[in-house]
Amino acid sequence: MPEESAEELLSRIDTNVPHPARVWDYWLGGKDNYPADRAVGEEILSVMPELVVNARAEREFLGRAVRHLAADVGIRQFLDIGTGIPAADNTHQVAQSVAPDAKVVYVDNDPIVLVHARALLAGTPEGVTSYVDADLRDPDRVLEEAGKSLDFSEPITLMMLGVLEFIPDSDQARTLVTRLVDSLAPGSHVMIAQSVRSPSMDEAAQRWNDSGATPIALRTPDEVSRFFDGLELLDPGLVSLPQWRPGPGTLYAGREVFQYGGVARKS
């Protein structure tokens, strides 16, 4: 299938409908968002101002976990599904700062993400940094395209941060995770982060769904933990993101953040 041009990609962007990647970009202080994204972003912050904290806590969790897996575990391949618009400390920047030969494949289905990925996701000469235009709901395509850059006979870190809430049906979400995990070699790892329920998060999710954007479904920590069934959770398990192996400079380490995550190993 020939690669779409920037013009073709941009023609698929509907700037009148808020998009998760662009709203997240707005909360992170980025500039790659539109009035519809900013409007729903501000409406949600009016009932859940902590969502800015969630976004930043997730970015820090990514950095700590990827650094651990690259430096301490020796993982050299990363499959990041639902990457969003490139921001500071992307997966390839963290992994390749530790291991210049690391291979990173990003997956997203937003054309504006793809436009920015082509322009900004440049890695080290020794490593691989590539992008797959695909949807988590089509895991076979994700795996086929990622297999052009990654060796699935060797350990891979599968990353799904802030993306599983966009699969509202929990049975479907678990089926998709299982399909992806089954493709991984022993010694691979799975990183998941998901927004969890609280009164203010429930209200924020309702505002989001009422906006006409891609619907989301929050889950309880117990429901999120089921995505790790059959895997060995690394310490400290599934926790509020700032509590996952915080360092001296970790933000929000002393507060509850309703974004939970964990890292698990496949035996």
Side-chain angles (χ1 to χ4, degrees):
M1 186 174 179
E3 186 176 84
E4 290 182 277
S5 68
E7 291 76 15
E8 290 171 324
L9 287 165
L10 290 170
S11 73
R12 292 202 279 124
I13 297 171
D14 185 350
T15 61
N16 295 312
V17 177
H19 189 282
R22 300 193 301 262
V23 175
W24 203 255
D25 174 74
Y26 175 61
W27 288 337
L28 283 172
K31 298 179 180 179
D32 299 306
N33 46 76
Y34 294 92
D37 306 308
R38 295 190 285 274
V40 72
E42 283 299 321
E43 181 178 357
I44 292 170
L45 291 180
S46 71
V47 296
M48 183 60 175
E50 301 95 316
L51 277 172
V52 171
V53 171
N54 284 24
R56 294 172 182 171
E58 186 178 284
R59 178 60 48 165
E60 285 200 336
F61 166 69
L62 180 155
R64 294 194 306 278
V66 169
R67 191 170 291 107
H68 165 70
L69 292 169
D72 302 328
V73 182
I75 300 293
R76 293 294 178 265
Q77 302 189 105
F78 296 82
L79 177 56
D80 185 344
I81 301 177
T83 179
I85 293 171
D89 299 323
N90 292 289
T91 301
H92 75 282
Q93 292 170 315
V94 178
Q96 292 174 357
S97 71
V98 173
D101 61 337
K103 300 177 180 179
V104 178
V105 173
Y106 293 101
V107 179
D108 208 294
N109 66 340
D110 183 4
I112 198 168
V113 174
L114 179 53
V115 169
H116 287 280
R118 287 181 183 171
L120 299 175
L121 298 181
T124 57
E126 304 96 322
V128 170
T129 305
S130 64
Y131 181 94
V132 172
D133 182 13
D135 194 310
L136 172 60
R137 294 174 182 83
D138 188 356
D140 290 339
R141 172 170 165 77
V142 170
L143 294 170
E144 178 184 0
E145 294 298 319
K148 296 174 182 178
S149 300
L150 303 178
D151 180 357
F152 278 81
S153 69
E154 296 293 329
I156 291 172
T157 294
L158 170 65
M159 303 169 58
M160 292 173 286
L161 309 186
V163 67
L164 288 170
E165 46 262 64
F166 294 99
I167 311 292
D169 185 291
S170 290
D171 288 338
Q172 181 189 14
R174 285 193 295 271
T175 297
L176 293 170
V177 172
T178 298
R179 171 70 182 97
L180 294 166
V181 171
D182 284 349
S183 74
L184 302 177
S188 293
H189 288 68
V190 178
M191 289 173 54
I192 291 174
Q194 150 98 56
S195 299
V196 299
R197 300 193 64 179
S198 75
S200 55
M201 283 294 290
D202 287 346
E203 174 66 17
Q206 188 61 54
R207 297 283 185 99
W208 174 267
N209 290 342
D210 288 345
S211 75
T214 307
I216 65 171
L218 303 180
R219 296 183 170 95
T220 66
D222 283 346
E223 289 171 329
V224 177
S225 71
R226 292 199 58 193
F227 292 128
F228 294 106
D229 284 354
L231 303 171
E232 176 190 354
L233 268 170
L234 306 188
D235 288 337
L238 179 73
V239 293
S240 179
L241 292 185
Q243 302 306 315
W244 198 90
R245 305 192 181 192
T250 299
L251 299 174
Y252 321 118
R255 64 188 287 183
E256 174 80 349
V257 172
F258 295 105
Q259 190 87 351
Y260 273 50
V263 181
R265 184 181 186 276
K266 179 178 180 180
S267 300

